[in-house]
Amino acid sequence: MQSTATVLVYSDNAGTREQVRLATGRRPAADVPAVEFIECATLPAVLKQLDKGGIDVCVLDGEAVPAGGMGVCRQIKDEVFHCPPVLVLMGRPQDAWLATWSRADAAVTLPVDPVEFADALAGLLRGGRAAA
């Protein structure tokens, strides 16, 4: 098992980024590596970090403005070679169809439920697809 995993967190809301960090803790499950975060508040910052490489999972806020996480997910799935798995944060459970459209690998609702989020993130870090 690798020593650390790098998780990119995109949200224009610092509170949402904090929810993700707190729900993850040092590691989301005992059988996955410890997590280091890269936080981005803008789409250009996300694209710059993905160009650098080394991202294991992306967590994208579907409620971010002006570029929502679902649109960003679809864009990076189309444009980033070997795009890392993506977990999308949805505003409502009814938005699950949008998460499917965006090609997200997993989706959870806001506000972040620590158990649900940690399970989804750990599934992606294990290399599997978490339930959307």
Side-chain angles (χ1 to χ4, degrees), residues 1-7 24-36 56-57 117-128:
M1 177 168 64
Q2 68 188 52
S3 60
T4 61
T6 303
V7 176
T24 305
R26 293 170 71 165
R27 65 176 34 158
D31 63 334
V32 299
V35 171
E36 293 180 357
D56 295 298
V57 174
F117 180 83
D119 285 346
L121 181 58
L124 295 178
L125 288 169
R126 288 182 194 110

Side-chain angles (χ1 to χ4, degrees), residues 27-93:
R27 65 176 34 158
D31 63 334
V32 299
V35 171
E36 293 180 357
F37 294 100
I38 295 176
E39 295 186 33
C40 299
T42 65
L43 176 56
V46 170
L47 298 176
K48 182 178 179 180
Q49 290 297 326
L50 288 171
D51 281 345
K52 287 182 182 178
I55 304 295
D56 295 298
V57 174
C58 293
V59 177
L60 307 176
D61 180 2
E63 304 300 306
V65 291
M70 292 190 205
V72 172
C73 179
R74 188 162 178 101
Q75 179 179 347
I76 65 175
K77 289 289 187 172
D78 284 341
E79 297 176 1
V80 175
F81 186 64
H82 293 301
C83 183
V86 176
L87 188 151
V88 171
L89 305 174
M90 306 178 295
R92 314 172 302 155

Side-chain angles (χ1 to χ4, degrees), residues 63 70 90-100:
E63 304 300 306
M70 292 190 205
M90 306 178 295
R92 314 172 302 155
Q94 297 88 338
D95 292 335
W97 72 273
L98 282 169
T100 300

